[in-house]
């Protein structure tokens, strides 16, 4: 047996170096602080597309002028930034990098982190759906901390006429297509709250389009409340919808509108960035 204490400790644990045995023991040892600061400088430039001077960058990044200068010149040399006189701004290379990543990612892979933020903030499920005939089809879902009585998962189909995402999606149809939908759809009462009058339903759908939001209260199932907003592509066309669903006993309609809606709209806006850089 070796007399080397380090060797003895490693042998006792299978001969693996300490860093390999427990990589989470001291995670900061594996971080590159200068890279973190450099990325921070990039984020600051991104927030100021008109550009910043060296002094302004140093102040916002809380760096010395010498430190900020090194980061800025490194970004310029690597093609991620450009210098025009005293002003530094990001170049279009970042867009190329984003496009390369997006080329291998689906919209819903891109959207999931933003949906997860909403779900974790409120403890409720956040889902996304597209329109398919008379139904909405779930294409992404982040479950909440609470169990809903309705079993929902990717691939689930629900009637469009009585769901928040369905009304958001229907509101983007041309008038003739919406009228055709209302004429053929199987519209029936699923609860005492379900809107079945086709004229009233049309008004609710049009209101969802005008307001950019649909709140549906116990129309699909008793006690189930949901709020949805559209996701639009670069042309402004609604391509999907995302929602938060909950039991009415947990979140009031007022809370859904005052608190959940702004977070949901912010998530939709960030998801729509997928189309901007495509």
């Amino acid at each position: 047996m070796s007399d080397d204490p380090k060797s003895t400790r490693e042998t006792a644990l299978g001969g693996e170096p300490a860093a390999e045995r427990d990589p989470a023991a001291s995670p900061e040892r594996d971080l590159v602080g200068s890279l973190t600061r450099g990325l921070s400088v990039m984020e600051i430039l991104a927030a100021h597309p008109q550009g910043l001077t060296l002094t302004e960058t140093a102040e916002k990044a809380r760096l010395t002028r010498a430190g900020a200068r090194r980061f800025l010149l490194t970004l310029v040399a690597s093609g991620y930034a450009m210098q025009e006189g005293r002003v530094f701004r990001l170049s279009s290379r970042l867009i190329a990098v984003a496009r390369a990543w997006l080329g291998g990612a689906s919209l819903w892979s891109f959207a999931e982190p933003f949906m997860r933020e909403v779900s974790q903030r409120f403890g409720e499920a956040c889902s996304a759906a597209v329109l398919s005939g008379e139904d909405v089809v779930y294409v992404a879902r982040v479950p909440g901390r609470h169990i809903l009585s309705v079993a929902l998962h990717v691939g689930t189909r629900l009637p469009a006429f009585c769901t928040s995402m369905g009304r958001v999606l229907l509101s983007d149809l041309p008038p003739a297509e919406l009228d055709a939908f209302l004429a053929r759809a199987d519209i029936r009462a699923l609860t005492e709250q379900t809107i079945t009058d086709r004229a009233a339903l049309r008004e609710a759908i049009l209101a969802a389009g005008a307001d950019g939001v649909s709140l549906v209260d116990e129309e699909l199932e008793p006690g189930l409340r949901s709020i949805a907003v559209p996701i639009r592509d670069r042309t402004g066309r609604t391509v999907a919808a995302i929602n938060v669903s909950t039991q009415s006993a947990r979140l009031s309609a007022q809370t859904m509108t005052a608190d959940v809606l702004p977070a949901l709209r912010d998530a939709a806006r960030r998801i729509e960035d997928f189309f901007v850089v495509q």
Side-chain angles (χ1 to χ4, degrees), residues 27-46:
E28 291 184 2
R29 292 175 58 186
D30 294 326
L31 302 182
V32 180
S34 59
L35 176 59
T36 301
R37 292 190 294 274
L39 292 173
S40 176
V41 170
M42 291 180 70
E43 290 178 353
I44 289 168
L45 290 179

Side-chain angles (χ1 to χ4, degrees), residues 33-268:
S34 59
L35 176 59
T36 301
R37 292 190 294 274
L39 292 173
S40 176
V41 170
M42 291 180 70
E43 290 178 353
I44 289 168
L45 290 179
H48 298 83
Q50 76 281 5
L52 294 171
T53 65
L54 169 59
T55 300
E56 291 169 337
T57 304
E59 290 176 352
K60 293 182 182 299
R62 297 182 180 179
L63 295 169
T64 63
R65 281 175 51 87
R69 180 176 181 275
R70 286 195 296 271
F71 285 120
L72 289 170
L73 293 181
T74 299
L75 289 173
V76 171
S78 60
Y80 287 102
M82 60 182 72
Q83 181 180 3
E84 297 176 357
R86 298 174 58 247
V87 174
F88 294 85
R89 58 170 57 90
L90 289 182
S91 72
S92 60
R93 184 170 182 181
L94 273 180
I95 297 177
V97 172
R99 282 176 176 162
W101 179 78
L102 289 171
S106 72
L107 170 62
W108 303 117
S109 296
F110 182 84
E112 184 177 345
F114 308 122
M115 295 172 61
R116 190 169 300 281
E117 283 184 23
V118 175
S119 175
Q120 291 176 346
R121 176 175 174 182
F122 299 102
E124 305 292 349
C126 184
S127 306
V130 297
L131 190 64
S132 177
E134 297 179 16
D135 299 329
V136 294
V137 178
Y138 279 62
V139 293
R141 180 169 172 80
V142 178
R145 293 194 296 266
H146 307 284
I147 298 175
L148 295 176
S149 55
V150 179
L152 300 173
H153 50 78
V154 173
T156 294
R157 301 179 73 98
L158 293 175
F161 79 94
C162 61
T163 55
S164 60
M165 289 191 288
R167 289 183 184 169
V168 165
L169 292 163
L170 290 169
S171 71
D172 197 56
L173 293 178
E177 291 186 28
L178 176 58
D179 290 340
F181 168 86
L182 292 170
R184 70 173 184 274
D186 180 17
I187 298 173
R188 63 188 187 282
L190 300 180
T191 74
E192 293 182 355
Q193 305 301 320
T194 308
I195 298 175
T196 56
D197 180 80
R198 293 174 195 266
L201 181 58
R202 189 176 194 278
E203 289 183 9
I205 292 170
L206 293 178
D211 299 336
V213 59
S214 175
L215 176 67
V216 172
D217 214 349
E218 301 189 85
E219 293 192 45
L220 176 67
E221 179 180 292
L224 183 65
R225 176 176 292 143
S226 67
I227 189 168
V229 298
I231 294 174
R232 298 184 174 94
D233 64 14
R234 284 179 292 180
T235 69
R237 183 174 64 93
T238 298
V239 294
I242 58 171
N243 84 341
V244 166
S245 53
T246 184
Q247 290 293 329
S248 56
R250 288 200 296 269
L251 292 178
S252 67
Q254 291 77 11
T255 298
M256 296 282 273
T257 302
D259 298 336
V260 178
L261 178 58
L264 203 55
R265 279 180 166 156
D266 181 63

